[in-house]
Amino acid sequence: MQPTIPLPLHYSWPLSESGWRFDFGMPFDAAALDENGFSSLHDDRLAAQGIGKWTCDLADNSLAWTDPVFDLFGLPRGARLSRDEIVALYCDESRAAMERLRAHAIKHRRGFTVDMEIRTVAGRRRWMRLLAAPVCVGDRVVRLHGLKQDISREYL
């Protein structure tokens, strides 16, 4: 039996069966979303707190980020993203935990929040709070999306 790694998992929540949509806890207008499902309504307020939005399309594992997430990983804003290359920036224990939580989120249509240790492209270690929620079409999860926040100061 493999040992389990205790996760700094903060909470998880079930999705309702009636078209529930994760709205980042802020006023939400579906008509104001871009092609990645982002609304720019609160981007300035989130960015001021070091919080960025992200999404991953499960059909092809394509990623989309807002500027604070690029900054968190030390990547130029707007750079091409490869999920494999980004996942490689997670420290080993964090990567393993994230992949388990991701699989669970997809299988059970549940979200999660967890703190992860990453390395920037320049090799600098940082801590990130990852909030993820599934986007469902019918009973099928088609995308994961959420927030990423630099919380390195909390771990100093």
PDB file of all heavy atoms in Angstrom, residues 21 23 27-41:
ATOM      1  N   ARG A  21     -23.527  26.867 -12.168  1.00  0.00           N
ATOM      2  CA  ARG A  21     -22.317  27.369 -12.808  1.00  0.00           C
ATOM      3  C   ARG A  21     -21.493  28.108 -11.767  1.00  0.00           C
ATOM      4  O   ARG A  21     -22.005  28.954 -11.049  1.00  0.00           O
ATOM      5  CB  ARG A  21     -22.654  28.317 -13.942  1.00  0.00           C
ATOM      6  CG  ARG A  21     -21.401  28.861 -14.584  1.00  0.00           C
ATOM      7  CD  ARG A  21     -21.714  29.498 -15.908  1.00  0.00           C
ATOM      8  NE  ARG A  21     -20.524  30.114 -16.380  1.00  0.00           N
ATOM      9  CZ  ARG A  21     -19.640  29.545 -17.188  1.00  0.00           C
ATOM     10  NH1 ARG A  21     -19.823  28.342 -17.615  1.00  0.00           N
ATOM     11  NH2 ARG A  21     -18.575  30.189 -17.580  1.00  0.00           N
ATOM     12  N   ASP A  23     -19.274  30.826 -10.403  1.00  0.00           N
ATOM     13  CA  ASP A  23     -19.149  32.218 -10.834  1.00  0.00           C
ATOM     14  C   ASP A  23     -18.095  33.001 -10.053  1.00  0.00           C
ATOM     15  O   ASP A  23     -18.137  34.218 -10.008  1.00  0.00           O
ATOM     16  CB  ASP A  23     -20.500  32.926 -10.775  1.00  0.00           C
ATOM     17  CG  ASP A  23     -20.997  33.118  -9.357  1.00  0.00           C
ATOM     18  OD1 ASP A  23     -20.322  32.676  -8.402  1.00  0.00           O
ATOM     19  OD2 ASP A  23     -22.066  33.717  -9.211  1.00  0.00           O
ATOM     20  N   PRO A  27     -20.897  38.727  -8.895  1.00  0.00           N
ATOM     21  CA  PRO A  27     -22.018  38.867  -9.831  1.00  0.00           C
ATOM     22  C   PRO A  27     -21.641  38.298 -11.195  1.00  0.00           C
ATOM     23  O   PRO A  27     -20.519  38.445 -11.655  1.00  0.00           O
ATOM     24  CB  PRO A  27     -22.235  40.381  -9.907  1.00  0.00           C
ATOM     25  CG  PRO A  27     -21.702  40.891  -8.606  1.00  0.00           C
ATOM     26  CD  PRO A  27     -20.550  39.985  -8.258  1.00  0.00           C
ATOM     27  N   PHE A  28     -22.584  37.658 -11.844  1.00  0.00           N
ATOM     28  CA  PHE A  28     -22.294  36.870 -13.034  1.00  0.00           C
ATOM     29  C   PHE A  28     -23.279  37.199 -14.144  1.00  0.00           C
ATOM     30  O   PHE A  28     -24.478  37.252 -13.905  1.00  0.00           O
ATOM     31  CB  PHE A  28     -22.395  35.394 -12.648  1.00  0.00           C
ATOM     32  CG  PHE A  28     -22.163  34.460 -13.780  1.00  0.00           C
ATOM     33  CD1 PHE A  28     -20.889  34.274 -14.280  1.00  0.00           C
ATOM     34  CD2 PHE A  28     -23.203  33.759 -14.339  1.00  0.00           C
ATOM     35  CE1 PHE A  28     -20.659  33.407 -15.326  1.00  0.00           C
ATOM     36  CE2 PHE A  28     -22.983  32.891 -15.386  1.00  0.00           C
ATOM     37  CZ  PHE A  28     -21.708  32.717 -15.871  1.00  0.00           C
ATOM     38  N   ASP A  29     -22.765  37.421 -15.335  1.00  0.00           N
ATOM     39  CA  ASP A  29     -23.591  37.666 -16.510  1.00  0.00           C
ATOM     40  C   ASP A  29     -23.077  36.782 -17.628  1.00  0.00           C
ATOM     41  O   ASP A  29     -22.021  37.048 -18.200  1.00  0.00           O
ATOM     42  CB  ASP A  29     -23.517  39.143 -16.898  1.00  0.00           C
ATOM     43  CG  ASP A  29     -24.277  39.461 -18.171  1.00  0.00           C
ATOM     44  OD1 ASP A  29     -25.017  38.581 -18.681  1.00  0.00           O
ATOM     45  OD2 ASP A  29     -24.143  40.588 -18.669  1.00  0.00           O
ATOM     46  N   ALA A  30     -23.804  35.710 -17.946  1.00  0.00           N
ATOM     47  CA  ALA A  30     -23.353  34.746 -18.951  1.00  0.00           C
ATOM     48  C   ALA A  30     -23.131  35.404 -20.311  1.00  0.00           C
ATOM     49  O   ALA A  30     -22.264  34.981 -21.069  1.00  0.00           O
ATOM     50  CB  ALA A  30     -24.362  33.603 -19.082  1.00  0.00           C
ATOM     51  N   ALA A  31     -23.859  36.455 -20.612  1.00  0.00           N
ATOM     52  CA  ALA A  31     -23.700  37.125 -21.907  1.00  0.00           C
ATOM     53  C   ALA A  31     -22.370  37.865 -22.006  1.00  0.00           C
ATOM     54  O   ALA A  31     -21.923  38.195 -23.102  1.00  0.00           O
ATOM     55  CB  ALA A  31     -24.853  38.093 -22.136  1.00  0.00           C
ATOM     56  N   ALA A  32     -21.728  38.130 -20.882  1.00  0.00           N
ATOM     57  CA  ALA A  32     -20.488  38.905 -20.879  1.00  0.00           C
ATOM     58  C   ALA A  32     -19.239  38.029 -20.908  1.00  0.00           C
ATOM     59  O   ALA A  32     -18.139  38.517 -20.723  1.00  0.00           O
ATOM     60  CB  ALA A  32     -20.442  39.801 -19.636  1.00  0.00           C
ATOM     61  N   LEU A  33     -19.393  36.723 -21.164  1.00  0.00           N
ATOM     62  CA  LEU A  33     -18.248  35.810 -21.170  1.00  0.00           C
ATOM     63  C   LEU A  33     -17.552  35.804 -22.518  1.00  0.00           C
ATOM     64  O   LEU A  33     -18.194  35.886 -23.561  1.00  0.00           O
ATOM     65  CB  LEU A  33     -18.704  34.388 -20.841  1.00  0.00           C
ATOM     66  CG  LEU A  33     -19.363  34.190 -19.483  1.00  0.00           C
ATOM     67  CD1 LEU A  33     -19.771  32.738 -19.312  1.00  0.00           C
ATOM     68  CD2 LEU A  33     -18.442  34.635 -18.372  1.00  0.00           C
ATOM     69  N   ASP A  34     -16.213  35.647 -22.479  1.00  0.00           N
ATOM     70  CA  ASP A  34     -15.472  35.492 -23.725  1.00  0.00           C
ATOM     71  C   ASP A  34     -15.439  34.011 -24.117  1.00  0.00           C
ATOM     72  O   ASP A  34     -16.095  33.179 -23.493  1.00  0.00           O
ATOM     73  CB  ASP A  34     -14.068  36.092 -23.611  1.00  0.00           C
ATOM     74  CG  ASP A  34     -13.151  35.338 -22.662  1.00  0.00           C
ATOM     75  OD1 ASP A  34     -13.451  34.189 -22.267  1.00  0.00           O
ATOM     76  OD2 ASP A  34     -12.101  35.908 -22.311  1.00  0.00           O
ATOM     77  N   GLU A  35     -14.679  33.673 -25.141  1.00  0.00           N
ATOM     78  CA  GLU A  35     -14.647  32.303 -25.656  1.00  0.00           C
ATOM     79  C   GLU A  35     -14.074  31.298 -24.662  1.00  0.00           C
ATOM     80  O   GLU A  35     -14.307  30.097 -24.784  1.00  0.00           O
ATOM     81  CB  GLU A  35     -13.866  32.221 -26.983  1.00  0.00           C
ATOM     82  CG  GLU A  35     -12.370  32.478 -26.849  1.00  0.00           C
ATOM     83  CD  GLU A  35     -11.986  33.950 -26.809  1.00  0.00           C
ATOM     84  OE1 GLU A  35     -12.863  34.812 -26.923  1.00  0.00           O
ATOM     85  OE2 GLU A  35     -10.784  34.227 -26.666  1.00  0.00           O
ATOM     86  N   ASN A  36     -13.352  31.750 -23.648  1.00  0.00           N
ATOM     87  CA  ASN A  36     -12.804  30.860 -22.625  1.00  0.00           C
ATOM     88  C   ASN A  36     -13.693  30.771 -21.393  1.00  0.00           C
ATOM     89  O   ASN A  36     -13.346  30.109 -20.427  1.00  0.00           O
ATOM     90  CB  ASN A  36     -11.407  31.337 -22.198  1.00  0.00           C
ATOM     91  CG  ASN A  36     -10.427  31.244 -23.338  1.00  0.00           C
ATOM     92  OD1 ASN A  36     -10.328  30.224 -24.000  1.00  0.00           O
ATOM     93  ND2 ASN A  36      -9.711  32.321 -23.583  1.00  0.00           N
ATOM     94  N   GLY A  37     -14.832  31.452 -21.427  1.00  0.00           N
ATOM     95  CA  GLY A  37     -15.712  31.446 -20.275  1.00  0.00           C
ATOM     96  C   GLY A  37     -15.335  32.469 -19.224  1.00  0.00           C
ATOM     97  O   GLY A  37     -15.817  32.419 -18.100  1.00  0.00           O
ATOM     98  N   PHE A  38     -14.451  33.418 -19.564  1.00  0.00           N
ATOM     99  CA  PHE A  38     -14.026  34.451 -18.624  1.00  0.00           C
ATOM    100  C   PHE A  38     -14.886  35.690 -18.779  1.00  0.00           C
ATOM    101  O   PHE A  38     -15.241  36.084 -19.871  1.00  0.00           O
ATOM    102  CB  PHE A  38     -12.578  34.872 -18.876  1.00  0.00           C
ATOM    103  CG  PHE A  38     -11.553  33.815 -18.629  1.00  0.00           C
ATOM    104  CD1 PHE A  38     -10.417  33.753 -19.411  1.00  0.00           C
ATOM    105  CD2 PHE A  38     -11.697  32.874 -17.618  1.00  0.00           C
ATOM    106  CE1 PHE A  38      -9.438  32.800 -19.189  1.00  0.00           C
ATOM    107  CE2 PHE A  38     -10.731  31.912 -17.388  1.00  0.00           C
ATOM    108  CZ  PHE A  38      -9.603  31.874 -18.181  1.00  0.00           C
ATOM    109  N   SER A  39     -15.166  36.322 -17.672  1.00  0.00           N
ATOM    110  CA  SER A  39     -15.759  37.644 -17.657  1.00  0.00           C
ATOM    111  C   SER A  39     -14.682  38.592 -17.150  1.00  0.00           C
ATOM    112  O   SER A  39     -14.011  38.294 -16.174  1.00  0.00           O
ATOM    113  CB  SER A  39     -16.963  37.677 -16.712  1.00  0.00           C
ATOM    114  OG  SER A  39     -17.332  39.007 -16.448  1.00  0.00           O
ATOM    115  N   SER A  40     -14.511  39.715 -17.790  1.00  0.00           N
ATOM    116  CA  SER A  40     -13.484  40.660 -17.348  1.00  0.00           C
ATOM    117  C   SER A  40     -14.008  41.621 -16.282  1.00  0.00           C
ATOM    118  O   SER A  40     -13.283  42.488 -15.821  1.00  0.00           O
ATOM    119  CB  SER A  40     -12.946  41.445 -18.541  1.00  0.00           C
ATOM    120  OG  SER A  40     -13.986  42.209 -19.110  1.00  0.00           O
ATOM    121  N   LEU A  41     -15.237  41.405 -15.849  1.00  0.00           N
ATOM    122  CA  LEU A  41     -15.889  42.323 -14.932  1.00  0.00           C
ATOM    123  C   LEU A  41     -15.069  42.612 -13.681  1.00  0.00           C
ATOM    124  O   LEU A  41     -14.972  43.745 -13.244  1.00  0.00           O
ATOM    125  CB  LEU A  41     -17.260  41.761 -14.532  1.00  0.00           C
ATOM    126  CG  LEU A  41     -18.144  42.641 -13.669  1.00  0.00           C
ATOM    127  CD1 LEU A  41     -18.431  43.957 -14.382  1.00  0.00           C
ATOM    128  CD2 LEU A  41     -19.429  41.918 -13.348  1.00  0.00           C
TER     129      LEU A  41
END
